[in-house]
Structure formats: structure tokens, C-alpha cells
Amino acid sequence: MTTLADRSSMMRLLKPAALILWGGLWLGNAFWMLADPAGWYAGIDGVANTGSYNPHFVRDIGMAYLTLALLAFAAIRWPGHAVPLLGAGTLFLGLHALLHIWDIAAGRLPAEHVLMDMPGVFLPAFVGAFLTWWCAPHRN
């Protein structure tokens, strides 16, 4: 039988593990964008629909994703500040998702982007919001 103390101990390990995974995903994406912008541009489904390839712009966005990774890792180091740290990253992810919705609604992106963008644009905004909520101090 699991005790409350066992559950609390497991949660203390699970949150940092989730944040390591979260930050690691963004770190990997950032490094890919910074090291091989042409490969990233060609390798992500639907990116070519958003405009012509610009290596500097891909690297600019790579720096935004590097920031997401650093915010996630900072939330591990300073759990008492996890909500504003993760919230800042989630704000970017949410605004990015809204921009895609706006561009789809305005016809600047094809309608199939709703599905194409689900794993890389829409889902991260929801995961970020969940992690921000989950890491609130009163949930420890």
C-alpha cells in the first residue's frame, strides 16, 4: 500500500524528471535550429508553408527555444520560482499557437496545418500550461 509520504516522495522526483524531459526537448530543438537551420527547415513538416528559408531567422527562433530550455532547467534549480519561470515559456508557446490559429483562420496557412501543427505548436502550449500549474508551490 502506498502511503502519503511515498506519494509525496515520488512527486518530488517526478516533477524534476518531467522538467528535465521538457527542457531537453527544447534544448535539442534549439541546438538543431542553431547548428543546422537548413536541415531543421526541411525536416519539420509544414515549416516551408510559413515562408521562404532564412537561416538567420531559423537561428533567431532557435534562441527562443534555447530560452525555453533554460527556463525549464531554472525551474528545477529554483522550484519556488517555477510558476513564473515556466509561465514565461508558456506565454511564448501560447502566443505562438495563437499566431498559427490566426494564420490558418486568415488563409495564410492551409487548413491542414491544424493537424500538422498539433504536435509541435498546439500540444506544447497545453503541456507548458499543465507543467506551470503542476509546479505551483502548493502542489508539492
Side-chain angles (χ1 to χ4, degrees), residues 14-34:
L14 191 55
K15 285 181 184 181
L19 292 175
I20 287 169
L21 177 62
W22 185 241
L25 289 170
W26 297 127
L27 188 63
N29 189 55
F31 283 166
W32 185 16
M33 294 176 88
L34 294 167

Side-chain angles (χ1 to χ4, degrees), residues 41 44-52 108-110 112-113 116-117:
Y41 183 86
I44 302 294
D45 193 28
V47 170
N49 293 336
T50 64
S52 58
R108 290 185 292 268
L109 287 174
E112 59 265 15
H113 263 265
M116 264 191 248
D117 293 345

